[in-house]
Amino acid sequence: MTGIAAPDRPRRRIFADLTPLRTSPHYRRLWVGGTISWTGQAMTALAISLQVYEITGSSFSVGLVGLFTLVPLVAFGLYGGAIADTVDRRKLGLYSAMGLTGLSIALAGAALLDHHRVWLLYAVVALQAVCGALNGPARSAMIPRLLPREQLPAANALNSVTMTSGVMVGPALGGLVVGWWGYQVAYLIDAVTFTAALYAMWRLPLMKPEREDGSAPGERGRASVLDGLRFLGTRPNIRMTFFSDMAAMVLAHPKALFPAIAVLWYGGDAKTAGLLVAAPAIGALLGGLFSGWQGRIRRHGLAILLSVAAWGLAIAVFGLTRNLWLGLFFLAVAGFADTTSMVFRSTMMQAATPDEMRGRLQGVFIVVVAGGPRLGDFLAGTVADLTSPGVAITGGGLACVLVLALLALRWRGFARYDARSPQA
């Protein structure tokens, strides 16, 4: 009929929605800079592990790299969120990125001077974790200020592509660069990649936290970590995003068992273990690339429950398989589900949290994301030693689904959460 405008209908997308990159130059620069620098950081992480092993010849010493990363990340995660809710987030992101750049330059300088000391590498990774714990909450809290609420799922899906592609590409590049030109070149490349992140941060406008009562960030003193935890205690929907992720990462995280099952189940070697590690990452990357449908979902709580349940079931079935390719398929399905869950969990936290609390909630998110898989590795290894890898993996996947169901019954409103009227 002429003269009557057709109602707007959501465009049906299959691939990732690039609208945030088209509509917001600030977000576009932040995403491009983050993608480049994240790849450089992943490259450096591998180079440090290789250098520690070359110096010590000890796998235990290489394992300590993870410990020296985890402890500061958890310890400073909450504190970094509190700082992000007090100061200009642009400056916090800029200064912490400058710190990461300086640490990469220090690594390159030490390598050029042949100053091979393992304590120096441990000190650098600890300081990198501190800078990362300050940078992460600031960056995440910026995104809802740069984009309208309806574009947050697309932005978080694009961020998942950044993280997953960096984890996949960075180590491969790191191994090649170290093999061809040495550690110093790998560290220098990392330092250069940070210029993209620094430029993106420098071009941002002021990002002082917005108070609901209209007060300036400094008028009520420094934001308190305890206030953030108290706020979380009164917001069941936000708490459920953390509980659901912990159910998946603590109860159904079999990564620590991959080296053993590569040999015991598949008669393989280190290459087989590498395939097992890569499969969830490939699934996660596909989850980000084929995320166009996520913008049409309004029941974010229900989407999270279904995604985490899919993770648990995929892990449980993986524990029953003894065919390598079938096992890799279910691990990829689990990775796809994990990315889907992450997108909706991040979106819910950003949309349903007041701006003055976003930094602290992101700090809690960092602690959960960093600590959950480590606890999961410990639990899986312990259960496997007491029983068998199959029991640990399948039992963990089923336990994840059971705990998730109990949580959903306890907080029934979570499944009814509607993105059009976000309530924490």
Side-chain angles (χ1 to χ4, degrees):
M1 295 177 61
T2 59
I4 300 178
D8 291 335
R9 294 181 179 178
R11 182 180 173 184
R12 293 191 175 276
R13 294 182 174 89
I14 297 176
F15 296 103
D17 183 359
L18 303 182
T19 302
L21 297 177
R22 291 195 297 266
T23 60
S24 173
H26 290 306
Y27 175 77
R28 181 169 62 248
R29 284 190 291 267
L30 200 64
W31 185 82
V32 171
T35 300
I36 295 172
S37 61
W38 184 258
T39 301
Q41 278 282 275
M43 183 174 65
T44 286
L46 178 73
I48 288 175
S49 295
L50 293 173
Q51 191 173 7
V52 168
Y53 187 78
E54 182 178 292
I55 295 171
T56 65
S58 166
S59 295
F60 175 77
S61 297
V62 176
L64 286 178
V65 173
L67 183 63
F68 277 98
T69 300
L70 175 63
V71 173
L73 195 61
V74 172
F76 282 85
L78 296 175
Y79 184 65
I83 295 176
D85 286 339
T86 303
V87 303
D88 178 6
R89 290 161 178 162
R90 170 187 172 273
K91 290 183 178 178
L92 180 60
L94 183 62
Y95 293 154
S96 55
M98 289 173 63
L100 289 167
T101 305
L103 290 168
S104 294
I105 294 173
L107 285 171
L112 285 168
L113 295 173
D114 288 328
H115 187 74
H116 301 299
R117 299 290 185 275
V118 71
W119 65 263
L120 175 63
L121 298 176
Y122 288 154
V124 168
V125 297
L127 291 173
Q128 284 177 331
V130 172
C131 291
L134 297 174
N135 189 271
R139 287 175 59 90
S140 179
M142 292 174 187
I143 294 175
R145 298 273 292 274
L146 300 176
L147 298 169
R149 183 189 300 164
E150 62 271 14
Q151 292 183 20
L152 291 179
N156 287 312
L158 290 170
N159 292 341
S160 75
V161 172
T162 291
M163 291 184 289
T164 308
S165 61
V167 169
M168 294 176 64
V169 175
L173 287 177
L176 291 174
V177 171
V178 169
W180 288 340
W181 298 299
Y183 300 109
Q184 62 271 24
V185 175
Y187 298 141
L188 282 173
I189 291 174
D190 184 24
V192 171
T193 63
F194 266 110
T195 59
L198 291 172
Y199 176 74
M201 289 285 181
W202 179 67
R203 289 292 303 273
L204 288 172
L206 291 176
M207 284 280 176
K208 293 182 178 180
E210 296 177 343
R211 308 296 191 194
E212 287 190 327
D213 60 7
S215 62
E219 290 181 12
R220 294 183 299 174
R222 183 170 296 280
S224 168
V225 172
L226 291 178
D227 285 344
L229 295 176
R230 292 190 191 101
F231 171 83
L232 184 60
T234 63
R235 299 299 191 270
N237 285 333
I238 301 299
R239 281 203 313 276
M240 267 292 289
T241 64
F242 295 124
F243 290 159
S244 61
D245 187 53
M246 291 294 285
M249 294 297 102
V250 175
L251 299 174
H253 192 260
K255 185 177 179 180
L257 304 181
F258 287 167
I261 64 179
V263 176
L264 296 175
W265 291 4
Y266 307 118
D269 52 16
K271 297 186 185 69
T272 308
L275 289 174
L276 295 173
V277 173
I282 292 172
L285 180 60
L286 292 174
L289 293 176
F290 293 92
S291 59
W293 58 275
Q294 293 170 355
R296 301 191 295 272
I297 304 298
R298 297 290 178 261
R299 299 279 294 279
H300 288 184
L302 181 59
I304 292 169
L305 293 175
L306 294 175
S307 301
V308 175
W311 164 277
L313 290 173
I315 294 298
V317 176
F318 166 71
L320 299 174
T321 62
R322 296 300 181 268
N323 177 275
L324 177 60
W325 298 110
L326 190 60
L328 294 175
F329 169 77
F330 282 109
L331 287 175
V333 170
F336 189 102
D338 185 45
T339 288
T340 303
S341 166
M342 185 279 293
V343 168
F344 289 117
R345 284 186 290 110
S346 298
T347 301
M348 184 181 292
M349 185 172 63
Q350 292 166 343
T353 303
D355 185 69
E356 63 181 294
M357 287 287 177
R358 283 178 182 147
R360 278 166 283 187
L361 268 291
Q362 181 62 24
V364 176
F365 182 83
I366 287 176
V367 172
V368 170
V369 169
R374 273 70 178 188
L375 290 175
D377 287 341
F378 174 76
L379 180 62
T382 302
V383 175
D385 280 347
L386 294 174
T387 57
S388 69
V391 170
I393 295 173
T394 298
L398 295 177
C400 167
V401 176
L402 175 60
V403 169
L404 185 71
L406 294 175
L407 290 170
L409 289 173
R410 172 62 180 84
W411 287 285
R412 297 174 185 268
F414 184 70
R416 297 192 295 270
Y417 176 94
D418 193 324
R420 291 170 294 189
S421 180
Q423 298 293 324

